[in-house]
């Protein structure tokens, strides 16, 4: 009888440790990317209306993958000014998907990501204010702790 319970315990432990077909536990995303894409993961652009008819300036924001799964490089342009920043997407146990939408003001962009329900989660806003670039955190997110 003791042998039976030992076998049952081993079988139960092995079945609880079973991994999904992807080779990782469900909801466990690798912290690094095997292949970093060279093209932008998300982008937004709009022309800058200006009295200067010679230049075709723009306001643009692009997010690029990095070797770290939840870290993106932001490249921001306003006229001739080019700035870089980082974007850290929270790990909710799903592959991150960055999205960008037009902001409420002219020359503004809302940077966000898709949540578990495929909804857009606002994260940061990039805008031009009085001729200067401003980057503002709109919301903060954290993974819920299991009890």
């Amino acid at each position: 009888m003791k042998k039976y319970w030992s076998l049952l315990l081993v079988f139960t432990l092995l079945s609880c440790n079973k991994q999904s077909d992807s080779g990782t536990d469900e909801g466990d995303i690798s912290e690094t990317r095997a292949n970093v894409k060279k093209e932008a993961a998300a982008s937004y652009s709009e022309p800058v209306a200006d009295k200067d008819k010679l230049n075709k300036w723009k306001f643009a924001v692009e997010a690029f993958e990095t070797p770290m799964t939840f870290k993106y490089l932001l490249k921001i342009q306003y006229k001739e000014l080019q700035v870089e920043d980082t974007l850290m997407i929270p790990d909710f146990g799903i592959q991150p998907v960055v999205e960008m939408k037009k902001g409420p003001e002219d020359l503004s962009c809302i940077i966000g990501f898709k949540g578990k329900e495929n909804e857009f989660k606002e994260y940061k806003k990039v805008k031009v204010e009085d001729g200067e670039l401003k980057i503002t955190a709109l919301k903060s997110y954290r993974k819920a702790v299991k009890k």
Side-chain angles (χ1 to χ4, degrees):
M1 184 72 152
K2 196 174 193 180
K3 199 176 202 179
Y4 170 76
W5 286 110
S6 296
L7 285 173
L8 182 61
L9 178 63
V10 169
F11 177 74
T12 303
L13 289 174
L14 288 174
S15 64
C16 287
N17 249 354
K18 185 179 179 189
Q19 294 183 333
S20 65
D21 292 338
S22 65
T24 60
D25 291 333
E26 189 174 331
D28 187 20
I29 307 297
S30 173
E31 291 184 19
T32 58
R33 285 189 177 94
N35 298 313
V36 178
K37 296 177 184 171
K38 293 199 184 284
E39 65 274 0
S43 62
Y44 174 81
S45 179
E46 67 178 275
V48 173
D50 204 318
K51 295 176 186 174
D52 182 352
K53 301 294 182 197
L54 295 176
N55 296 301
K56 300 218 184 246
W57 284 325
K58 66 179 178 177
F59 166 73
V61 183
E62 295 180 302
F64 292 89
E65 291 181 350
T66 68
M68 303 301 295
T69 302
F70 299 97
K71 183 177 180 179
Y72 289 80
L73 173 66
L74 292 177
K75 292 186 178 184
I76 305 163
Q77 180 180 347
Y78 170 61
K79 294 185 177 182
E80 295 300 316
L81 179 63
Q82 296 188 10
V83 177
E84 290 186 354
D85 195 13
T86 57
L87 176 69
M88 298 295 295
I89 303 296
D91 179 357
F92 287 122
I94 59 173
Q95 284 292 335
V97 177
V98 177
E99 286 190 341
M100 296 186 191
K101 296 183 176 185
K102 174 152 181 47
E105 305 96 355
D106 286 338
L107 303 179
S108 69
C109 170
I110 304 298
I111 303 169
F113 57 93
K114 288 191 175 189
K116 284 188 172 188
E117 308 286 318
N118 210 28
E119 74 280 15
F120 180 72
K121 294 192 169 282
E122 292 183 345
Y123 200 25
K124 289 187 176 188
K125 177 164 67 170
V126 179
K127 69 177 180 174
V128 176
E129 185 177 287
D130 298 325
E132 294 183 11
L133 280 173
K134 305 273 184 186
I135 302 171
T136 308
L138 298 173
K139 296 185 179 180
S140 62
Y141 298 90
R142 63 186 176 123
K143 191 174 180 179
V145 178
K146 293 181 183 178
K147 292 183 180 182

